[in-house]
Amino acid sequence: MGLRSHEQLVVCVGVMFLLTVCITAFFFLPSGGADTYFREDDSVHVRDTFIREEVRRKEQEELRKKAEEANPIPIPKPEIGAADDPEGRRIFVKQMIKFAWDGYRKYAWGENELRPNSRSGHSSSIFGYGKTGATIIDAIDTLFIVGLKEEYKDARDWIEKFDFKEAAKGDLSVFETNIRFTGGLLSAYALTGDKMFLTKAEDVATLLLPAFETPSGIPYSLIDLQTGRAKTYSWASGKAILSEYGSIQLEFDYLSNLTGNPIFAQKSDKIRDVLTSMEKPEGLYPIYISMDNPPRWGQHLFSMGAMADSWYEYLLKQWIATGKKDERTKREYEEAIFAMEKRMLFKSEQSNLWYFAKMNGNRVEHSFEHLACFCGGMAVLHSMNEQNKTIADHYLTLGKEIGHTCHESYARSTTGIGPESFQFTSSIEAKTDRRQDSYYILRPEVVETWFYLWRATKDEKYRQWAWDHVQNLEKHAKGAAGYSGIRNVYDSAPEQDDVQQSFLFAELFKYLYLIFSEDDVLPLDQWVFNTEAHPFRIRH
């Protein structure tokens, strides 16, 4: 009996020893087989615990991707709470878009724009007084790009049933209708291949054609689609405006290329022929032109900003859009920018900030508009497409300096958001003391330049500047049902203007989303943006 007890004890101790060895081996000895990871110099074993964690992480990532595909707003990763990486910041921008769209969808569907605090529709004079759904058409390409599928479908269904001529009332801006409506519909077609958008784009452009029936071919500024009557702005003394009649070619030439209907390209080419034939005072383009045949320049006002800006932009982009085949536009762009650098480019005394001043004859006004901040991005785009390295480096430097100046206009305000216009004098630099210039209406041009600078340089500061702007928009411009402009960027608690501009979706949101995206989302060697940030395919 005692012997058997001794034997049983020995057996129990042996079993316990073997169990201890097995457990120890399971947790502390390296594993092999299918779970072996390899370095370039040697194969090394990785412990099971690390592998399990790696598998869990990958499965979580796959689950997150599937959730993003299945839901209008993706489920954020746990560590994205502070949106401290490009993916998190991109998702945050997408959520901003969703919030702004939901407010428009609920309170102003079919209207041109939203009053986010009044929770009602809004329209400005550029749209006449009809309900033409400007926000829907301006936003649809952005909705598609960011993957808001349900919202995109709602917008597409609305556009399919929309009759622009029936809805439009009163005098519409030919320029704004072209860049927002024709441009937005062309972009939606380019992105999706849905021919409904192309048909609608041609319909809108056709309605604008009576505005081109002038002695010289320079189009009128306004048109009533119900009557076909067109005219210039009353305040322009019977003259047309450079940025408006000069920003037709990108959309009209692309439309003719897609449809095979030459009438649109013919109309825009006529404008170009007229301008090519005219003598430019010291190489510069005045803002105003008469409607005579032949036309004559108006007062010698020169600007890189309002009433001139997109003319220069379209010279460069038309050359790019044609696969760099339209050499005339490239030559005229280079001549114009050279003249502007020579006569209008200045550097501030205090901090050496670069800016393009305005000119009235030979009198210089040392101010720079938010609108003009686009030219930094234009210079960078020129640099990215220029074969001559010396010229490319020159324009990249110009783009960087303009981007820096425009950032200073933001950094020196109380809200961190830049004003509509700012001055450079002996007592003030990159700021304004004019209350009428201190507002901000959700303009995109500064972020637009930072976007191009990010794509060209990969300098992280441009992403950080864009993220700073996102945070300041959330703090100062976010309203009850969307985003609003602010009346004074130098107030610590600025009053909102209660208007959510349609170009918030077309431009500002799009550039913010793209700056936190990879370069293969709308690569710049395949796409070119119109002045409303609607992307068109480059014709290679």
Side-chain angles (χ1 to χ4, degrees):
M1 181 69 177
L3 181 61
R4 287 179 180 175
S5 298
H6 178 72
E7 290 172 347
Q8 288 175 349
L9 179 62
V10 170
V11 170
C12 288
V13 171
V15 170
M16 291 178 65
F17 176 75
L18 290 174
L19 286 172
T20 302
V21 170
C22 290
I23 292 171
T24 301
F26 180 76
F27 281 104
F28 296 101
L29 290 180
S31 62
D35 289 334
T36 300
Y37 277 48
F38 293 90
R39 293 179 182 155
E40 291 182 1
D41 56 336
D42 194 10
S43 63
V44 294
H45 296 289
V46 181
R47 300 193 188 282
D48 286 335
T49 52
F50 177 81
I51 292 175
R52 286 196 296 271
E53 176 63 20
E54 184 70 5
V55 170
R56 185 199 64 77
R57 187 190 65 78
K58 289 183 177 180
E59 288 177 346
Q60 189 180 56
E61 178 67 11
E62 289 297 318
L63 181 61
R64 191 196 63 77
K65 288 181 179 179
K66 291 178 181 178
E68 183 173 350
E69 292 173 358
N71 291 279
I73 289 294
I75 298 172
K77 297 184 298 184
E79 63 268 26
I80 274 185
D84 57 358
D85 66 358
E87 181 183 9
R89 293 176 177 185
R90 186 174 66 252
I91 290 173
F92 191 92
V93 172
K94 183 174 179 178
Q95 291 169 333
M96 294 172 72
I97 298 170
K98 179 73 163 60
F99 172 71
W101 177 263
D102 284 349
Y104 172 79
R105 182 71 176 85
K106 184 174 182 179
Y107 298 110
W109 189 242
E111 301 272 0
N112 288 311
E113 292 168 333
L114 167 71
R115 289 192 178 276
N117 296 326
S118 303
R119 295 181 176 89
S120 62
H122 170 266
S123 190
S124 62
S125 60
I126 61 172
F127 304 119
Y129 57 87
K131 298 180 181 180
T132 54
T135 291
I136 298 173
I137 295 175
D138 241 357
I140 190 165
D141 58 358
T142 299
L143 298 175
F144 182 84
I145 290 164
V146 307
L148 289 173
K149 298 177 182 179
E150 292 181 11
E151 291 75 9
Y152 165 79
K153 184 179 183 304
D154 286 346
R156 188 214 174 275
D157 291 346
W158 186 90
I159 291 171
E160 186 174 33
K161 299 173 183 176
F162 178 57
D163 186 323
F164 190 71
K165 183 177 182 180
E166 182 180 325
K169 302 289 190 299
D171 294 326
L172 279 70
S173 164
V174 173
F175 164 70
E176 297 288 355
T177 302
N178 177 58
I179 65 170
R180 301 193 197 208
F181 291 84
T182 306
L185 293 165
L186 284 172
S187 175
Y189 171 72
L191 289 163
T192 67
D194 187 335
K195 290 189 176 180
M196 181 273 292
F197 293 122
L198 181 58
T199 300
K200 295 286 186 178
E202 186 173 14
D203 290 345
V204 173
T206 300
L207 291 170
L208 298 178
L209 291 178
F212 293 78
E213 300 303 321
T214 66
S216 66
I218 299 292
Y220 289 111
S221 301
L222 299 169
I223 187 168
D224 185 324
L225 299 186
Q226 303 298 322
T227 64
R229 287 196 298 267
K231 60 183 181 181
T232 58
Y233 293 108
S234 59
W235 51 264
S237 302
K239 295 179 176 62
I241 299 166
L242 179 63
S243 65
E244 298 200 345
Y245 70 79
S247 304
I248 298 290
Q249 187 162 23
L250 204 60
E251 292 82 9
F252 270 39
D253 189 60
Y254 189 46
L255 181 58
S256 283
N257 180 263
L258 292 174
T259 63
N261 185 348
I263 187 64
F264 307 107
Q266 290 169 358
K267 296 296 185 183
S268 61
D269 286 344
K270 177 62 175 175
I271 300 170
R272 292 292 314 289
D273 292 341
V274 168
L275 293 180
T276 298
S277 68
M278 295 181 69
E279 187 73 22
K280 288 82 179 174
E282 298 189 68
L284 300 172
Y285 288 82
I287 286 174
Y288 296 109
I289 194 171
S290 73
M291 302 300 293
D292 306 325
N293 190 22
R296 294 169 289 108
W297 295 120
Q299 185 179 0
H300 284 191
L301 297 173
F302 309 104
S303 172
M304 183 63 88
M307 300 195 289
D309 46 8
S310 49
W311 158 247
Y312 305 105
E313 177 187 2
Y314 272 33
L315 284 176
L316 175 66
K317 289 183 174 179
Q318 177 65 13
W319 171 64
I320 294 171
T322 60
K324 303 178 183 177
K325 294 182 175 63
D326 187 346
E327 289 295 335
R328 177 174 68 158
T329 59
K330 172 74 178 315
R331 182 182 68 255
E332 292 182 345
Y333 166 79
E334 290 177 329
E335 292 171 351
I337 298 304
F338 177 80
M340 296 185 81
E341 285 189 79
K342 183 179 178 181
R343 295 295 312 280
M344 300 168 63
L345 182 62
F346 290 85
K347 301 174 185 178
S348 67
E349 296 177 7
Q350 299 96 320
S351 306
N352 200 42
L353 300 178
W354 295 25
Y355 62 96
F356 283 96
K358 296 179 181 179
M359 289 182 61
N360 184 349
N362 291 318
R363 184 174 64 84
V364 178
E365 179 185 337
H366 291 276
S367 65
F368 197 49
E369 296 168 311
H370 196 291
L371 281 167
C373 284
F374 90 95
C375 72
M378 179 178 71
V380 175
L381 185 62
H382 181 187
S383 172
M384 295 171 75
N385 286 275
E386 178 58 58
Q387 291 185 336
N388 184 303
K389 186 178 185 305
T390 301
I391 296 175
D393 289 346
H394 169 80
Y395 284 107
L396 181 59
T397 298
L398 176 60
K400 289 178 178 179
E401 293 293 344
I402 295 295
H404 173 60
T405 296
C406 295
H407 177 258
E408 285 298 301
S409 77
Y410 275 50
R412 299 181 187 200
S413 78
T414 308
T415 59
I417 297 173
E420 178 72 1
S421 180
F422 46 96
Q423 287 77 52
F424 297 88
T425 68
S426 58
S427 61
I428 193 169
E429 182 186 51
K431 294 182 68 175
T432 184
D433 53 7
R434 306 171 186 168
R435 188 166 183 85
Q436 68 268 25
D437 291 335
S438 64
Y439 63 91
Y440 172 73
I441 57 170
L442 306 174
R443 290 206 186 276
E445 293 81 16
V446 174
V447 174
E448 175 184 355
T449 281
W450 297 342
F451 161 70
Y452 283 105
L453 282 165
W454 164 253
R455 285 283 179 99
T457 69
K458 294 299 180 289
D459 188 330
E460 286 290 341
K461 73 180 179 183
Y462 300 117
R463 277 183 161 176
Q464 185 57 50
W465 290 354
W467 181 243
D468 292 342
H469 190 49
V470 166
Q471 293 176 305
N472 291 327
L473 288 171
E474 286 292 293
K475 183 177 181 180
H476 300 294
K478 190 172 186 177
Y483 294 86
S484 169
I486 58 178
R487 298 193 186 280
N488 191 340
V489 299
Y490 301 104
D491 286 348
S492 57
E495 179 186 357
Q496 296 184 351
D497 68 11
D498 199 21
V499 177
Q500 181 172 278
Q501 305 279 349
S502 77
F503 56 69
L504 171 66
F505 293 93
E507 300 183 80
L508 183 56
F509 278 155
K510 187 182 286 120
Y511 286 128
L512 286 171
Y513 184 84
L514 290 175
I515 204 170
F516 297 118
S517 301
E518 297 299 323
D519 288 3
D520 59 1
V521 181
L522 297 179
L524 296 178
D525 60 348
Q526 297 177 36
W527 297 87
V528 63
F529 295 90
N530 85 337
T531 196
E532 192 79 358
H534 294 306
F536 301 162
R537 286 193 180 276
I538 294 173
R539 285 165 268 167
H540 291 298

